[in-house]
Amino acid sequence: MKPDDQILIIFGASGDLTKRKLLPSLFELFDRDMLPAHFVILGVARTKFTDEEFRKEQKKNLRQFLKGTPPSDERLELFLKSVQYITLDTEDTKEYCLLVKKIADIRKTENIPDRLLFYLAVPPQKYELIAGALKKTKLNDTGEKGGWRRIIVEKPFGSSLETAQRLNQYLCSIFEEDDIYRIDHFLGKETVQNILVLRFANQIFESLWNRNYIDSVEIYAQETLGVENRGKYYEGAGALRDMIQNHLMQLMGFVAMEAPSAFDAELMRDEVAKVFRSLHPLSVDDVIRGQYIAGEADGKKWLAYREEKGVEADSVTETYVAMRFYIDNWRWGGVPFYFYTGKRMVKTKSEIIINFKNVPHHLFTGMCAYSSCNRLVLKVDSPESISLKFGLKVPGSFFEVKQVSMDFAYDSLCNTYIANAYERLLLDAMQGDSTLYTRTDALELSWRFIDPILQEWAKNPEEGLIFYPAGSKGPEERKRLLQHFMPDGDIL
Ligand code: BG6
């Protein structure tokens, strides 16, 4: 079913997110005929463009950022007909009356009811400012029957528990909680949603999904990328805020949650919040942080983090974090969970690994001595896959065991189009489905979990910061935490 007719208003329309992710995703939706019949994308930014100039610019960007077979000029132009633009200094609240007028004009000419979806693709310092201006101009309100308002807020949502709570309170004073869509693009990834189906549509996995059979859970996201041109943002974030507080926490929520009584946004999000509420408080000794120094990988030389644009020469911002933690409930009591994430690592890979317990007694040679032979590996980044690892007899040998893998690759489902994360999430917000968006309580609980570590680091900024060469597997000290599954873990 197509979403209701509506206007999607993107603040930050001349920025990176719009050109790399939002417009390409909207084009894909258009190409698959999933956009509303009466639909306008209204770009808002300070850069001066006419509608035509903005479309021309976005046509170039679409050519660059669309994946797969390039679309024809006609298709692109047809899509771009639904794109309009308004030059507006979002910091000048007086200018918002131009936006009010533009929206009224679009509604009239395109025959669109009073349904507005705002997307804040702007730096976080502007969230409150823009939301406040929307309130002042009454754009946050609809008086029309069947009308609605929704607002999508990008990450980072706050920089600590306190700032996240403040932002939540402020936004909730302007929009209804149900109309606030806090985006975490990891939840839009196909494999991430598949965790739920794998767990709750298959008896064989769910029966083993607990402390009786699971030895440990690893959730990691490592990238070869550095901070690119986002040095300034990253300086205020670091890996703990940038990747763990949101993306990896959400993945953990899906891995650890109980089955909801129905597949419903609120019930699902209740279960995730329950997991976050059961997290055992973190100890600073269970968290390792690192920062990359100059290094080499694939014949390329990489700068040190401190030499990147926008980064302080004596920065103590972490670009790598490894941590161990526990969930205090009946399902998970005593099972270690591990997160690790880093920039400028040896390879790009994101996975969830469920390590099952070893058999109680080893009969055969070659059996994994440390970690288990049985692992379920969900590869989250592209190409997405699921592998089940288990021990089998080496052919011709006496009774020697080798770990083998049964693999399912998503791209083997030919003819099945795999939507990217933003496509899925944009469509959900247009349809008013918030299942894959973060609710206030979960968001605040995730900040509550990592806040003590951030505070500890702020008190002792240099203590414990370990340097690792760009292009490596991260600081050697990671082994202190991760040695548990070192012997056969290829990523470590
Ligand atoms: C973003 C982080 O949210 O996620 C980036 O800010 C990171 O630092 C990115 O590179 C990773 O997402 P993906 O989808 O490319 O794995």
Side-chain angles (χ1 to χ4, degrees):
M1 206 175 64
K2 287 190 184 191
D4 294 339
D5 294 344
Q6 58 193 276
I7 307 179
L8 167 62
I9 298 135
I10 304 179
F11 289 93
S14 56
D16 245 33
L17 183 69
T18 305
K19 72 175 178 199
R20 286 174 187 271
K21 302 283 185 198
L22 303 184
L23 281 180
S25 303
L26 288 160
F27 175 82
E28 296 290 2
L29 291 172
F30 158 82
D31 209 36
R32 286 183 297 124
D33 197 21
M34 296 179 86
L35 291 179
H38 296 263
F39 179 59
V40 169
I41 302 161
L42 175 59
V44 184
R46 204 197 316 233
T47 318
K48 284 201 163 55
F49 283 123
T50 60
D51 282 348
E52 259 331 294
E53 286 164 345
F54 185 66
R55 288 186 189 125
K56 204 164 147 207
E57 179 71 14
Q58 295 309 329
K59 188 169 167 189
K60 206 171 66 202
N61 293 333
L62 284 167
R63 285 243 169 274
Q64 185 180 352
F65 295 110
L66 273 171
K67 307 244 156 56
T69 323
S72 67
D73 255 19
E74 293 72 50
R75 284 302 281 166
L76 282 180
E77 277 158 23
L78 196 60
F79 164 69
L80 287 167
K81 274 192 181 158
S82 59
V83 175
Q84 301 198 25
Y85 183 82
I86 176 170
T87 306
L88 189 140
D89 177 0
T90 46
E91 286 178 25
D92 184 354
T93 43
K94 289 195 289 304
E95 290 199 11
Y96 284 73
C97 54
L98 301 174
L99 182 63
V100 175
K101 180 165 181 328
K102 179 91 176 174
I103 290 173
D105 290 348
I106 294 174
R107 285 195 47 211
K108 202 157 152 209
T109 48
E110 306 293 330
N111 189 21
I112 299 181
D114 192 19
R115 299 184 193 127
L116 307 181
L117 171 59
F118 300 103
Y119 197 123
L120 302 187
V122 291
Q125 310 80 276
K126 290 196 170 180
Y127 294 166
E128 295 190 20
L129 188 109
I130 294 175
L134 293 177
K135 180 173 182 189
K136 216 164 170 186
T137 46
K138 299 202 169 58
L139 275 172
N140 66 324
D141 222 358
T142 172
E144 198 174 287
K145 195 160 172 271
W148 49 249
R149 296 290 182 267
R150 291 176 198 145
I151 184 163
I152 305 181
V153 189
E154 262 297 331
K155 65 168 273 265
F157 198 100
S159 55
S160 62
L161 174 61
E162 196 196 333
T163 52
Q165 281 174 329
R166 249 200 339 254
L167 179 59
N168 263 332
Q169 274 162 14
Y170 189 67
L171 290 180
C172 288
S173 71
I174 298 176
F175 294 92
E176 297 294 324
E177 163 67 24
D178 288 352
D179 297 331
I180 304 173
Y181 289 69
R182 300 169 193 84
I183 197 164
D184 185 319
H185 79 276
F186 266 51
L187 294 189
K189 294 183 188 232
E190 196 62 39
T191 13
V192 176
Q193 293 152 38
N194 213 22
I195 301 170
L196 301 174
V197 180
L198 187 88
R199 288 191 55 197
F200 303 131
N202 295 294
Q203 177 71 359
I204 56 167
F205 297 115
E206 192 48 25
S207 325
L208 304 178
W209 212 263
N210 57 56
R211 63 192 301 277
N212 297 328
Y213 298 99
I214 292 180
D215 168 86
S216 56
V217 178
E218 300 165 57
I219 301 177
Y220 75 89
Q222 57 180 29
E223 302 172 276
T224 52
L225 279 184
V227 289
E228 308 302 292
N229 47 7
R230 299 161 73 222
K232 204 162 151 235
Y233 150 75
Y234 203 85
E235 274 290 87
L240 192 58
R241 290 189 179 93
D242 185 50
M243 292 296 288
I244 292 185
Q245 179 273 327
N246 35 67
H247 303 326
L248 300 197
M249 288 283 292
Q250 292 296 330
L251 299 193
M252 183 268 289
F254 277 15
V255 168
M257 69 190 264
E258 298 300 319
S261 55
F263 194 64
D264 161 273
E266 291 316 315
L267 297 175
M268 281 269 313
R269 299 191 300 175
D270 285 347
E271 295 303 333
V272 171
K274 268 195 227 161
V275 173
F276 289 2
R277 235 172 249 128
S278 311
L279 286 166
H280 191 85
L282 270 176
S283 143
V284 80
D285 290 339
D286 283 339
V287 187
I288 286 172
R289 62 180 160 143
Q291 187 190 84
Y292 64 83
I293 51 173
E296 231 178 298
D298 292 337
K300 283 196 201 119
K301 285 193 173 26
W302 301 114
L303 291 179
Y305 174 69
R306 289 179 174 182
E307 295 166 314
E308 304 269 16
K309 209 171 116 212
V311 173
E312 297 292 325
D314 57 354
S315 169
V316 289
T317 301
E318 79 287 356
T319 57
Y320 176 94
V321 172
M323 61 195 256
R324 178 178 52 207
F325 62 96
Y326 294 88
I327 302 172
D328 291 338
N329 64 17
W330 277 61
R331 186 187 281 266
W332 296 112
V335 176
F337 276 68
Y338 298 89
F339 281 155
Y340 38 101
T341 185
K343 296 256 179 221
R344 280 281 183 257
M345 306 285 285
V346 64
K347 55 183 159 180
T348 295
K349 216 171 179 193
S350 306
E351 288 183 340
I352 296 168
I353 306 178
I354 312 293
N355 294 305
F356 290 95
K357 284 190 171 162
N358 238 326
V359 294
H361 175 53
H362 287 189
L363 291 179
F364 310 111
T365 53
M367 286 188 69
C368 316
Y370 298 86
S371 176
S372 70
C373 270
N374 299 146
R375 301 181 137 182
L376 184 68
V377 180
L378 313 179
K379 188 165 173 295
V380 173
D381 62 324
S382 175
E384 295 89 346
S385 63
I386 299 180
S387 307
L388 182 63
K389 317 254 182 199
F390 50 95
L392 270 190
K393 183 179 169 301
V394 176
S397 71
F398 177 57
F399 268 103
E400 195 185 334
V401 178
K402 188 178 182 317
Q403 194 183 50
V404 295
S405 182
M406 211 153 71
D407 301 323
F408 161 71
Y410 265 80
D411 53 17
S412 66
L413 291 176
C414 47
N415 300 330
T416 304
Y417 174 80
I418 302 183
N420 76 47
Y422 276 92
E423 262 171 84
R424 168 66 199 255
L425 294 173
L426 275 166
L427 191 64
D428 281 0
M430 283 186 214
Q431 284 172 321
D433 179 353
S434 53
T435 313
L436 298 175
Y437 283 85
T438 316
R439 207 172 55 186
T440 321
D441 50 356
L443 180 104
E444 293 190 3
L445 287 161
S446 66
W447 276 117
R448 201 175 287 281
F449 182 53
I450 68 158
D451 235 26
I453 302 298
L454 289 170
Q455 283 166 13
E456 203 56 44
W457 288 352
K459 272 192 247 152
N460 306 297
E462 278 166 52
E463 202 181 295
L465 179 71
I466 305 156
F467 295 95
Y468 62 97
S472 71
K473 293 181 174 182
E476 282 299 302
E477 283 73 0
R478 72 191 185 281
K479 293 179 181 164
R480 178 169 66 77
L481 284 189
L482 309 178
Q483 69 182 28
H484 183 61
F485 37 80
M486 281 294 294
D488 53 355
D490 69 329
I491 24 86
L492 301 168

